[in-house]
Amino acid sequence: MIRLNDILEKVSRNFPSVNLGQIEKAYVYTAKVHQGQDRLSGEPYLIHPLEDAAILADMRMDIATVAAGLLHDTVEDTFATLEEIKELFGPEIADLVDGLTKISKMTLATHEEQQSENFRKMLLAMAKDIRIVIIKLADRLHNMRTLQYLPPESQKQISRETLDIYAPIAGRLGIDRFKTELEDLALRYLHPEEYRQLVEGIAWKKEEREKYIQEVSSIISEKLSSYGLVGKVGGRPKHFYSIYRKMKAQNLEFEQVFDVIAFRIILGEVKDCYEALGIIHSLWKPVPGRFKDYIAMPKANGYQSLHTTVIGPYGERVEIQIRTEEMNRTAEEGIAAHWQYKEGKAFDSKDSKQISWVRQLLEWHQDLRDPREFIETVKIDLFPDEVYVFTPKGAVKQFPIGATPVDFAYSIHTEIGHQCVGAKVNGKIVPLRYHLQNGDTVEIITAPNHHPSKDWLKFVKTVRARTKIRQLIKSEARERSVDLGREICEREFKKYHLDFAKFLKSEDLKKVIEDFSFQSLDDLMAEVGYGNISSRQIVGKILPPDKLDKGKVEESRLKRLADRIRREPTGIQIRGIRDMMVRFAKCCNPLPGDSISGYITRGRGVTVHTSDCPNVLGSDPERLIQVSWNLQEKAVHAVRVRVICNDKKGLLANISQTLASSEINILQAHVVTTRDRKAVCNFELEVRDLKHLQAAFRSLTKLKDVMKVERIRGAPSGEREEAEGEA
């Protein structure tokens, strides 16, 4: 068990001249407020904050951070208040405790929202003070180390959250010692059988492996020494999660994974690293494609090292990492390796690449309110398999694997991305879908009046490109809706012999905009263009009812149809919108009980399709809207059904009688007899919902000579073109 003196000793080694009084005071206060509380293990609760503080002391964190580690649960789990913490320990420590308390209090309904909001909270905490996240990671690490005392369901839930959120953030901040241990511990509870096999597999040949590590380390040390290089050489098995991930990715058994040992060479200077690499490659044959130079091109989290894989003694694949002492510390401790403790000042985040990454994510966080979209955004950036390319001037740019010239264009400037019409890679024209490769030199070809295609969303990889393309598409769609709304209003005003241009300059316009609760004329016109507001509603705001009826001219066929649809009970609810014009798609004839999607049809409100309708799946995703069935509103719905049966006298009468017994009205019937004496009966029926239809199907299939009953998808031939044109 860790003791306070152990923590004080570690901190004093890192900061010899610092007063340790704050840590001692924090320990006494924490012991007092947590008195009588036990963990599920039966141990006093005080052990947990002590372990957290010890982890932070090992990370060489400052006095305030270690003290906050001791105090991190006091406000959440005891009667302690933030005001009391601030009064006793000062505003700096109080802010750290407050940030940790806010992260812990987050509870939401769905898994996606939980992940999204956890990410948002973590990022906001990072931007305020990165130490909050480092303390939170230490807290999670100790909780994972003692997870065996929780119920299995809680173990899995916490482990999944650790693998999805905390381990990737530790990796993105470069804290490898946290990342690897969190991943291994999560694997233990998420896949216990695979974890057990890995532990046994590593332990099975422990003696043989240790002998191999010692032999290879001696060979490397002697060879380096013969060239005048002095450094530390060590080897160890790779961590369990990395082996597990490789086995899954390549569908391998443990015995088939050869490079389970990684060697590390730590030298004095950068030039020594490259010299050592040449020595290793002269000693053993390198494996093609397995060399990576992260010294010349560091990872986004600041990680630097040379990686190579060689065929070592006895034909074994051996992975070797070569780095300096400073690089090694950065690899182990990430952002904490560069901690600045100057007269009690907090970490200066301006010089940190990790913090710039956080700021970038926060920028995306402002634009992406959909939890699923935000999760997609963050995961793309948290799990980057990176590729490095050059601009024509030789600047290095980093992208995720699979990135395209379009991603490159948007990384330079939004307008360059919008105007991108082509690209040259290494001097040759390539398609915009081309996947950038390490070392490519990329040049973008632009045209001033060009606009991005929504098809680009199918292949771009970076969040910046995707966000900018979506923003422009939404903007253009709104502009078109504004223009369409004006056009519709001009026509409507003419019907009543009103001057629309004069209306736009009158006081009536301001009153109409306020009545509909909009901010501007464009907002109002866009809603008319989308079909959410009818132009007659606007005219109704400026004409008295008697003149509205007298002045009305013959309405168009489409307007009459729209009004009829609006009056009819539809049984559809549209989230956040009332009085919306709704119609059902004839291409799929959705019924209550079907999974449905709404599609905004300009000037005609919302068309409801089944979720698997091909016309929806291939449509503009920006015009889809969430709809659901209002089961309290009773209505009948048309559906088309095909019955295939043997051509027997009286069978059509039996089918009609069965449908009538099921309380189903037949709107149309069409029967064709085939050459092999089969009857194909196509019906248009009125049913209440999917269950009503399925009950009728069961009754029909019981009839003698009925071979098949099916629901027909797709509009009748005369209406198919219109149905497909909507989407």
Side-chain angles (χ1 to χ4, degrees):
M1 180 180 127
I2 198 78
R3 298 172 306 157
L4 175 63
N5 285 343
D6 299 326
I7 296 168
L8 295 174
E9 187 181 325
K10 289 176 182 180
V11 175
S12 62
R13 278 202 307 266
N14 300 328
F15 306 105
S17 59
V18 170
N19 185 351
L20 302 176
Q22 283 282 61
I23 296 177
E24 293 171 332
K25 187 177 175 183
Y27 169 76
V28 172
Y29 182 83
T30 300
K32 176 186 168 187
V33 296
H34 283 298
Q35 189 173 11
Q37 293 181 351
D38 291 331
R39 305 198 85 207
L40 289 177
S41 62
E43 297 173 320
Y45 194 89
L46 181 61
I47 288 175
H48 174 60
L50 274 171
E51 291 286 353
D52 287 3
I55 292 169
L56 295 166
D58 283 335
M59 295 288 290
R60 301 180 177 87
M61 300 306 292
D62 61 12
I63 300 294
T65 308
V66 176
L70 285 165
L71 298 165
H72 76 275
D73 278 336
T74 53
V75 173
E76 184 184 0
D77 293 340
T78 75
F79 293 109
T81 64
L82 194 62
E83 291 72 23
E84 191 176 1
I85 299 288
K86 189 172 184 178
E87 185 181 333
L88 290 171
F89 300 97
E92 183 184 4
I93 291 175
D95 284 345
L96 294 175
V97 174
D98 184 37
L100 290 156
T101 305
K102 286 176 180 175
I103 292 175
S104 299
K105 282 184 177 178
M106 205 69 214
T107 54
L108 287 145
T110 69
H111 177 65
E112 279 177 341
E113 286 177 348
Q114 179 73 55
Q115 278 202 30
S116 173
E117 291 304 325
N118 267 327
F119 269 125
R120 290 180 197 271
K121 207 71 180 176
M122 291 282 276
L123 295 172
L124 289 167
M126 282 180 183
K128 185 177 180 183
D129 193 324
I130 197 71
R131 292 176 295 178
I132 293 171
V133 171
I134 294 175
I135 300 168
K136 186 64 186 174
L137 289 172
D139 175 47
R140 177 53 60 110
L141 181 59
H142 183 247
N143 281 332
M144 289 298 294
R145 287 173 177 173
T146 56
L147 201 60
Q148 69 268 29
Y149 299 106
L150 269 63
E153 190 177 329
S154 298
Q155 290 174 351
K156 287 188 179 294
Q157 185 266 321
I158 292 169
S159 295
R160 172 51 56 196
E161 185 181 64
T162 298
L163 210 53
D164 282 346
I165 298 175
Y166 292 94
I169 286 182
R172 202 59 174 79
L173 294 177
I175 311 174
D176 192 59
R177 65 162 72 172
F178 281 9
K179 175 179 177 289
T180 54
E181 188 174 352
L182 287 171
E183 286 176 340
D184 284 352
L185 289 167
L187 178 66
R188 175 182 175 183
Y189 296 102
L190 288 173
H191 305 285
E193 184 57 30
E194 289 91 336
Y195 180 83
R196 183 187 62 77
Q197 290 173 359
L198 283 171
V199 172
E200 289 176 357
I202 294 290
W204 181 52
K205 293 187 177 181
K206 183 180 179 183
E207 197 173 306
E208 183 182 322
R209 189 170 289 108
E210 286 177 353
K211 185 180 177 184
Y212 185 80
I213 290 172
Q214 188 176 356
E215 182 180 344
V216 173
S217 297
S218 297
I219 294 170
I220 294 173
S221 296
E222 287 172 13
K223 197 70 175 175
L224 293 177
S225 181
S226 69
Y227 283 87
L229 294 179
V230 179
K232 291 184 284 187
V233 181
R236 56 173 177 75
K238 291 184 177 179
H239 72 290
F240 298 131
Y241 186 71
S242 69
I243 300 172
Y244 168 80
R245 198 166 50 188
K246 182 170 185 175
M247 287 167 60
K248 288 296 177 186
Q250 300 181 20
N251 196 24
L252 301 173
E253 296 296 327
F254 177 75
E255 293 75 17
Q256 296 173 289
V257 181
F258 296 109
D259 50 343
V260 296
I261 302 174
F263 288 87
R264 186 171 298 160
I265 303 171
I266 300 174
L267 299 157
E269 298 180 40
V270 171
K271 66 179 182 63
D272 297 340
C273 295
Y274 287 100
E275 189 176 348
L277 177 70
I279 293 168
I280 295 297
H281 283 181
S282 68
L283 188 60
W284 294 304
K285 185 178 179 181
V287 177
R290 295 300 302 271
F291 168 66
K292 291 176 182 173
D293 185 348
Y294 292 121
I295 293 180
M297 294 181 181
K299 288 188 178 183
N301 61 13
Y303 176 89
Q304 288 184 288
S305 189
L306 298 176
H307 287 199
T308 187
T309 302
V310 297
I311 308 298
Y314 313 111
E316 291 273 358
R317 279 191 174 204
V318 176
E319 182 183 303
I320 298 174
Q321 301 166 357
I322 308 170
R323 58 181 72 148
T324 65
E325 188 71 55
E326 184 183 348
M327 292 173 190
N328 189 57
R329 189 174 163 217
T330 299
E332 291 293 321
E333 300 176 9
I335 195 168
H338 304 291
W339 194 256
Q340 296 175 5
Y341 185 81
K342 297 177 183 176
E343 299 169 3
K345 291 181 181 177
F347 180 71
D348 181 6
S349 62
K350 292 179 181 177
D351 300 326
S352 169
K353 288 184 180 178
Q354 288 92 334
I355 299 299
S356 68
W357 166 75
V358 173
R359 286 206 190 97
Q360 192 178 33
L361 278 188
L362 277 171
E363 186 182 314
W364 295 330
H365 147 75
Q366 301 300 327
D367 298 330
L368 304 173
R369 294 294 173 186
D370 183 337
R372 283 168 295 188
E373 196 173 336
F374 186 71
I375 284 296
E376 177 194 0
T377 297
V378 179
K379 282 194 172 179
I380 285 171
D381 206 69
L382 280 176
F383 300 100
D385 289 319
E386 292 135 346
V387 60
Y388 298 89
V389 299
F390 296 95
T391 68
K393 292 184 178 179
V396 178
K397 284 190 167 286
Q398 173 194 328
F399 297 95
I401 290 286
T404 65
V406 176
D407 295 293
F408 181 93
Y410 278 101
S411 76
I412 299 170
H413 194 279
T414 300
E415 285 306 311
I416 300 292
H418 288 344
Q419 297 173 11
C420 173
V421 293
K424 286 183 180 180
V425 172
N426 304 324
K428 295 180 181 178
I429 297 285
V430 297
L432 291 179
R433 292 173 178 266
Y434 169 83
H435 288 183
L436 300 176
Q437 305 296 315
N438 275 317
D440 281 347
T441 298
V442 187
E443 182 182 349
I444 300 299
I445 304 166
T446 61
N449 298 319
H450 184 262
H451 294 283
S453 163
K454 68 179 181 183
D455 289 338
W456 287 5
L457 292 171
K458 296 175 183 177
F459 61 78
V460 293
K461 288 290 182 184
T462 58
V463 176
R464 177 180 174 81
R466 186 177 287 105
T467 303
K468 296 300 180 184
I469 293 166
R470 281 177 176 160
Q471 285 176 349
L472 186 68
I473 289 171
K474 285 179 182 177
S475 171
E476 290 180 340
R478 176 180 162 81
E479 286 176 16
R480 288 195 295 269
S481 294
V482 169
D483 292 341
L484 181 60
R486 284 174 175 266
E487 209 175 297
I488 292 169
C489 285
E490 283 177 7
R491 287 203 301 265
E492 190 71 18
F493 271 59
K494 281 180 184 176
K495 292 177 187 176
Y496 297 94
H497 309 292
L498 296 172
D499 189 333
F500 183 65
K502 189 180 287 185
F503 164 71
L504 296 182
K505 298 175 184 176
S506 69
E507 286 297 313
D508 287 334
L509 173 64
K510 186 177 179 182
K511 181 178 179 299
V512 170
I513 290 172
E514 287 177 356
D515 285 351
F516 282 107
S517 303
F518 291 121
Q519 298 295 319
S520 68
L521 172 63
D522 281 356
D523 291 341
L524 178 63
M525 292 299 101
E527 291 302 300
V528 175
Y530 277 126
N532 297 341
I533 294 174
S534 73
S535 51
R536 194 173 178 221
Q537 283 177 280
I538 295 175
V539 174
K541 295 284 185 183
I542 59 176
L543 278 184
D546 56 334
K547 287 190 178 181
L548 191 66
D549 292 333
K550 286 180 183 178
K552 184 180 176 188
V553 298
E554 184 63 27
E555 294 184 66
S556 67
R557 181 185 68 83
L558 182 61
K559 185 69 171 66
R560 290 201 306 274
L561 176 63
D563 280 345
R564 190 176 81 241
I565 291 170
R566 184 190 297 277
R567 288 194 300 271
E568 291 175 357
T570 63
I572 292 293
Q573 296 180 91
I574 302 172
R575 191 173 179 182
I577 301 175
R578 294 183 176 182
D579 300 325
M580 183 70 158
M581 188 165 67
V582 174
R583 59 203 295 268
F584 292 99
K586 293 179 180 178
C587 51
C588 53
N589 294 113
L591 296 176
D594 283 329
S595 176
I596 52 174
S597 295
Y599 185 81
I600 297 173
T601 311
R602 291 195 184 90
R604 289 187 285 173
V606 169
T607 304
V608 179
H609 294 258
T610 59
S611 296
D612 59 354
C613 175
N615 285 333
V616 165
L617 296 174
S619 65
D620 182 355
E622 305 296 339
R623 290 169 64 185
L624 292 176
I625 189 171
Q626 187 176 341
V627 295
S628 59
W629 293 105
N630 180 3
L631 299 178
Q632 294 179 348
E633 196 170 305
K634 303 300 180 185
V636 290
H637 301 264
V639 63
R640 295 172 59 243
V641 171
R642 178 176 292 123
V643 181
I644 301 173
C645 51
N646 292 320
D647 186 18
K648 294 288 180 70
K649 183 184 273 190
L651 190 57
L652 183 59
N654 291 340
I655 292 172
S656 300
Q657 188 177 350
T658 301
L659 291 171
S661 300
S662 300
E663 299 182 352
I664 289 178
N665 184 38
I666 300 174
L667 297 175
Q668 285 186 26
H670 183 257
V671 181
V672 176
T673 304
T674 63
R675 289 181 180 178
D676 58 352
R677 306 304 298 168
K678 299 285 187 299
V680 180
C681 313
N682 290 330
F683 297 99
E684 186 173 358
L685 310 175
E686 278 187 337
V687 298
R688 292 188 298 274
D689 53 30
L690 188 59
K691 286 184 179 178
H692 191 193
L693 178 65
Q694 289 170 342
F697 274 20
R698 286 192 292 271
S699 299
L700 288 171
T701 53
K702 291 177 182 177
L703 292 175
K704 187 181 178 182
D705 291 316
V706 169
M707 301 164 64
K708 186 178 182 181
V709 184
E710 62 182 350
R711 184 175 168 184
I712 302 174
R713 303 284 186 173
S717 57
E719 298 167 347
R720 185 170 294 118
E721 186 177 340
E722 179 189 354
E724 291 174 350
E726 288 176 352

